[in-house]
Amino acid sequence: MNRLRELRKERGFTQIKMQMLTGIDQSDYSKLETGKRYYTFEQLKKLALALDTSMDYLAGLTDEKKPYPRHNG
């Protein structure tokens, strides 16, 4: 979960800002960052969009922070 915290801090976001961007309650978000709670698919998707990264990066499946090309469909 360190990747989530690192990206949030790199962007200069607070946990409250993440709540506003994703709709994930701040207390739940805090648990995601500390590993006390696992992501749902929808949460992971919202977090990746808010932090401009890929779901794979947040899940630890790649070390590439840059998101894949996205379609607007």
Side-chain angles (χ1 to χ4, degrees), residues 3 7 11 14 20 24 36-37 52 54-55 60 65 69:
R3 289 180 175 206
L7 282 173
R11 306 290 190 274
T14 63
M20 291 187 298
I24 300 169
K36 294 179 181 174
R37 186 167 187 176
D52 194 32
S54 70
M55 293 169 66
K65 289 182 185 180

Side-chain angles (χ1 to χ4, degrees), residues 7-55:
L7 282 173
R8 175 178 62 79
K9 289 187 175 194
E10 281 177 17
R11 306 290 190 274
F13 296 162
T14 63
Q15 289 185 356
I16 297 297
K17 176 73 172 179
M18 290 302 297
Q19 177 180 329
M20 291 187 298
L21 291 171
T22 64
I24 300 169
D25 184 74
Q26 185 272 326
S27 63
D28 289 337
Y29 179 85
S30 177
K31 290 174 187 169
L32 293 171
E33 270 196 5
T34 58
K36 294 179 181 174
R37 186 167 187 176
Y38 294 111
Y39 306 110
T40 65
F41 177 84
E42 286 302 317
Q43 287 173 329
L44 193 60
K45 185 176 173 182
K46 290 175 183 180
L47 291 166
L49 288 170
L51 294 168
D52 194 32
T53 193
S54 70
M55 293 169 66

Side-chain angles (χ1 to χ4, degrees), residues 55-69:
M55 293 169 66
D56 281 354
Y57 180 76
L58 290 175
L61 299 174
T62 183
D63 290 329
E64 179 61 48
K65 289 182 185 180
K66 185 177 177 192
Y68 304 113

